[in-house]
Amino acid sequence: MKNLLEPPTGIVNAVLDTDTYNEIDDQYALAYFLLSKEKINPLAVYAAPFSNVRAETPAEGMEKSYEEILRVLPLCGREGFPAYRGSTTYLPDEYTPVESEAARDLVKRALEHSPENPLYVLTIGAITNVASALLMVPAIRKNIVVVWLGGQAHSWPILSWAEFNMVQDIAAARVVFNSGCALVQMPCMGTVSHLTTTGPELREHMKGKSPLGNYLYEITCDKAVNEDGGGETWSRVIWDISVVAWLMGEEFVKAYTTPAPVPSYDNGYLHSADRHAMKVAFYLNRDAIFLDLFKKLRNALT
């Protein structure tokens, strides 16, 4: 387990679980995932559920995310890449999985791996699909490393602990944190909230460089100006790329080892010293991560 909690060396097999239509940083993460061939052998992408002003129900959020995945894949030169629909609801409790194409595919791929050759599960939304797979076949926990963007930093003030990916499906988060799988957490506020970029930076590195770069530039600027109310200056958090950055090497992300807490239904964490170990990121090399991302986006095949 200890070795599985360290950034891997060499090329690893990985899948990406993403609520792609919820925001605009999932698209960056999907592109980063597919274009990092020196570190990642991408196997599949899963659509995760979400619900907010962009989708009234988890089912609608998942379906819109699936459609967005299909829009981004050709821009990355990966049309036809394996993509699967995920859960249409959040977990009803901590014992009952929500079966889906994504959960079944994750079980299948995890069973084809081993503790010596694990499957990396990069997940950047409500963690329903991953939790469902673990509930369906608990034994896969030994064969996977879950890298999740979710929850706040463990030291974040208690009144501000609520975080979108966590509160969408706290039961699912509890399943994963209790499963005993190798788990690396990318907390939002206090850690990956530093992964911001600006309009001028995106214009310099992405606009006019490729159809993929143009698409990401346009959806980011549109979101920042028309939805977030950005004025003459604005910045955008692109924090979903953090899970991919974990696979790029220890110079990109620093993390500490701690007993895994249990996410609580009041948006906090329940800590106990006798729990199994996990990793929690505390520092991201913002400039190195964005430089690596921008280089890969500029060199995109289409």
Side-chain angles (χ1 to χ4, degrees), residues 22 64 72 83 87 92 123 170 175 193 210 247 266 294:
N22 171 47
K64 285 183 173 180
V72 174
S87 305
T123 177
I170 294 180
V175 167
S193 52
S210 70
L247 302 183
D266 64 359
F294 289 146

Side-chain angles (χ1 to χ4, degrees), residues 164-175:
F164 185 77
N165 291 348
M166 179 82 81
V167 301
Q168 291 276 284
D169 196 342
I170 294 180
R174 287 168 65 92
V175 167

Side-chain angles (χ1 to χ4, degrees), residues 31-235:
Y32 199 16
F33 169 72
L34 293 171
L35 297 174
S36 297
K37 298 177 182 179
E38 82 287 4
K39 289 288 187 178
I40 301 174
N41 176 33
L43 300 180
V45 59
Y46 307 137
F50 76 91
S51 52
N52 57 16
V53 295
R54 290 190 160 204
E56 292 186 1
T57 67
E60 181 185 356
M62 184 281 296
E63 187 62 29
K64 285 183 173 180
S65 292
Y66 179 73
E67 293 169 357
E68 181 69 1
I69 289 168
L70 298 184
R71 279 190 287 272
V72 174
L73 287 176
L75 296 173
C76 299
R78 300 303 295 264
E79 188 169 8
F81 182 79
Y84 299 92
R85 290 179 170 89
S87 305
T88 56
T89 66
Y90 305 124
L91 290 192
D93 52 51
E94 296 175 35
Y95 313 100
T96 309
V98 180
E99 292 212 22
S100 65
E101 292 179 351
R104 289 190 291 270
D105 186 77
L106 177 53
V107 167
K108 174 181 177 294
R109 294 184 189 277
L111 289 173
E112 295 169 349
H113 289 74
S114 68
E116 295 73 31
N117 178 35
L119 174 67
Y120 283 78
V121 182
L122 311 181
T123 177
I124 50 180
I127 203 164
T128 313
N129 294 332
V130 181
S132 293
L134 284 163
L135 288 171
M136 290 161 65
V137 183
I140 66 171
R141 68 180 179 81
K142 298 179 180 179
N143 298 348
I144 63 175
V145 179
V146 177
V147 186
W148 183 45
L149 172 81
Q152 312 292 33
H154 293 191
S155 60
W156 198 251
I158 190 167
L159 294 179
S160 304
W161 258 339
E163 184 278 321
F164 185 77
N165 291 348
M166 179 82 81
V167 301
Q168 291 276 284
D169 196 342
I170 294 180
R174 287 168 65 92
V175 167
V176 175
F177 275 68
N178 282 325
S179 70
C181 72
L183 175 62
V184 181
Q185 183 185 15
M186 299 290 162
C188 294
M189 295 307 297
T191 305
V192 298
S193 52
H194 298 297
L195 280 180
T196 61
T197 189
T198 65
E201 186 173 54
L202 294 178
R203 187 163 54 248
E204 171 67 22
H205 292 284
M206 293 173 53
K207 187 178 181 181
K209 308 299 183 183
S210 70
L212 173 60
N214 285 338
Y215 180 72
L216 295 175
Y217 173 78
E218 289 167 4
I219 63 173
T220 307
C221 292
D222 180 71
K223 181 76 166 60
V225 175
N226 295 325
E227 293 189 36
D228 299 343
E232 293 184 22
T233 62
W234 55 263
S235 63

Side-chain angles (χ1 to χ4, degrees), residues 268-288:
Y269 296 102
L270 303 174
H271 295 273
S272 177
D274 61 358
R275 298 267 296 165
H276 58 278
M278 68 174 291
K279 282 281 191 179
V280 180
F282 66 89
Y283 168 76
L284 293 94
N285 188 334
R286 183 265 174 208
D287 290 351

